[in-house]
Amino acid sequence: MSDFRQLFRKRIERQVLSISGLALGGIDFENPAGDPGLFGPESVTWRIHGDFSSMLCGGVSALLLQMLHPLALAGVWDHSSFREDMLGRLRRTSQFISGTTFAPTRDATALIEKVKSIHLHVTGIDAYGTPYAASDPDLLVWVHVAEAYSFLQSHLRYRNPSLSSAEQDRYYQEFARVAESLGAVNVPDSVAAVEAYLQAMRPQLRCDERTREVLRLLRNAPAPSRLAKPVGSLMIQAGIELLPAWAAEQLGISLSPVKRKTIRFGTRRIAGILRWAVRNGSWHRAMRRMGRLPS
């Protein structure tokens, strides 16, 4: 590889890693050697969560889906600094997902225990007078399913549309382990169960001014540099476009077929570049820990 291409690749990689959970430090993904963590390299979860591009799009979609639940919205609105520190929230969420997926067992477990402790203090009353608690098992199920569903849909669109139905079911079964460790119960763990759950939850979902403010903030989210701004904007659009039709309608989002095709085409091109550039993400480090990639 020429010196210019190598410098260009490393510059892109630095930009990507600067908005990921790796920017927070504190986790050694490469040690101890041979520790598979909660899932291991043969899991579907490693495959899906190992692709930064589709995970970023899925994360945007997941957040918007989560915020349609008034209790989830209230918890974030009352107890999170996301409105003032969008990048910080992205890094913290990314660290939890990548850490529970790829970190050694001790670190993954510590992250879960830390979040469980934080959840105990996230309580209040939502805008409609209903009490909420982040530790509520039902609310934990909603937050988890919105994430898992969105990550899988993004993977199918931007990474591997041929992922089999059996592997999709296996992903839901594997990833449910994290939600259950946080206190969720009766977590839907198949494609059919997740689809049925989402349909059953629709009467409880609402879109108000605060939900629309979250959408506005996402559309205007800051980027770590001017170079990253157009890429980040496209990924956010891709996450919004990924929403199920009923959720987009509830949020007042309408995209023409031409706009959708443009977003998908651009995102696939950018995703290819990012996959070429990033060689030291959480997946790469975990694979080195397992002796699957050269040091």
Side-chain angles (χ1 to χ4, degrees):
M1 184 183 294
S2 69
D3 290 344
F4 173 77
R5 279 169 59 83
Q6 181 74 340
L7 288 171
F8 182 61
R9 184 194 69 75
K10 288 185 175 180
R11 185 178 182 188
I12 294 173
E13 183 178 50
R14 281 196 300 270
Q15 295 290 317
V16 170
L17 298 185
S18 75
I19 64 172
S20 76
L22 290 170
L24 299 177
I27 298 176
D28 182 356
F29 285 87
E30 300 195 44
N31 292 289
D35 185 332
L38 299 183
F39 302 104
E42 305 302 331
S43 66
V44 182
T45 302
W46 271 40
R47 268 188 279 160
I48 291 177
H49 292 187
D51 183 54
F52 174 84
S53 303
S54 57
M55 286 295 285
L56 180 57
C57 299
V60 170
S61 190
L63 177 61
L64 289 172
L65 199 53
Q66 289 166 348
M67 294 302 95
L68 285 173
H69 194 303
L71 303 185
L73 173 63
V76 170
W77 195 270
D78 296 343
H79 296 272
S80 171
S81 61
F82 83 100
R83 282 168 285 172
E84 300 80 28
D85 185 20
M86 185 72 76
L87 282 176
R89 176 179 171 80
L90 173 61
R91 292 185 182 109
R92 291 188 294 274
T93 302
S94 174
Q95 184 187 60
F96 182 77
I97 298 296
S98 64
T100 53
T101 303
F102 298 112
T105 307
R106 183 178 65 178
D107 293 290
T109 302
L111 278 172
I112 289 170
E113 292 304 315
K114 179 181 178 181
V115 169
K116 285 174 68 176
S117 177
I118 292 171
H119 280 175
L120 295 177
H121 304 284
V122 179
T123 61
I125 298 175
D126 79 351
Y128 306 96
T130 304
Y132 68 83
S135 58
D136 174 12
D138 291 338
L139 192 55
L140 287 167
V141 171
W142 168 253
V143 171
H144 168 79
V145 170
E147 280 186 346
Y149 172 81
S150 299
F151 292 154
L152 178 56
Q153 296 310 305
S154 191
H155 184 81
L156 292 170
R157 179 165 297 170
Y158 292 115
R159 184 54 173 163
N160 180 17
S162 300
L163 190 71
S164 70
S165 297
E167 289 175 308
Q168 293 178 46
D169 285 346
R170 186 175 152 204
Y171 170 65
Y172 282 130
Q173 292 158 11
E174 290 173 357
F175 193 29
R177 179 176 179 180
V178 175
E180 290 164 350
S181 297
L182 289 170
V185 294
N186 299 321
V187 181
D189 62 358
S190 70
V191 172
V194 166
E195 291 287 355
Y197 172 80
L198 290 173
Q199 290 302 315
M201 288 295 294
R202 286 180 60 183
Q204 299 182 38
L205 307 182
R206 303 184 186 185
C207 179
D208 61 20
E209 189 54 42
R210 294 173 306 162
T211 323
R212 288 185 284 272
E213 176 67 3
V214 172
L215 176 60
R216 188 193 67 78
L217 289 169
L218 273 174
R219 282 174 162 161
N220 295 281
S225 70
R226 286 191 298 175
L227 174 68
K229 181 66 177 176
V231 174
S233 178
L234 177 60
M235 292 297 200
I236 289 168
Q237 291 182 67
I240 294 170
E241 194 270 335
L242 192 66
L243 285 164
W246 55 264
E249 182 179 359
Q250 196 163 7
L251 285 160
I253 297 167
S254 178
L255 298 171
S256 70
V258 171
K259 180 67 172 177
R260 289 182 181 277
K261 290 181 68 173
T262 301
I263 290 171
R264 294 181 190 186
F265 175 80
T267 302
R268 290 189 179 102
R269 295 294 296 271
I270 291 297
I273 294 172
L274 297 184
R275 288 175 193 131
W276 163 77
V278 178
R279 303 182 184 182
N280 201 34
S282 300
W283 177 85
H284 302 83
R285 300 181 192 201
M287 289 294 276
R288 287 197 289 267
R289 186 178 79 242
M290 298 303 296
R292 301 294 185 93
L293 288 178
S295 300

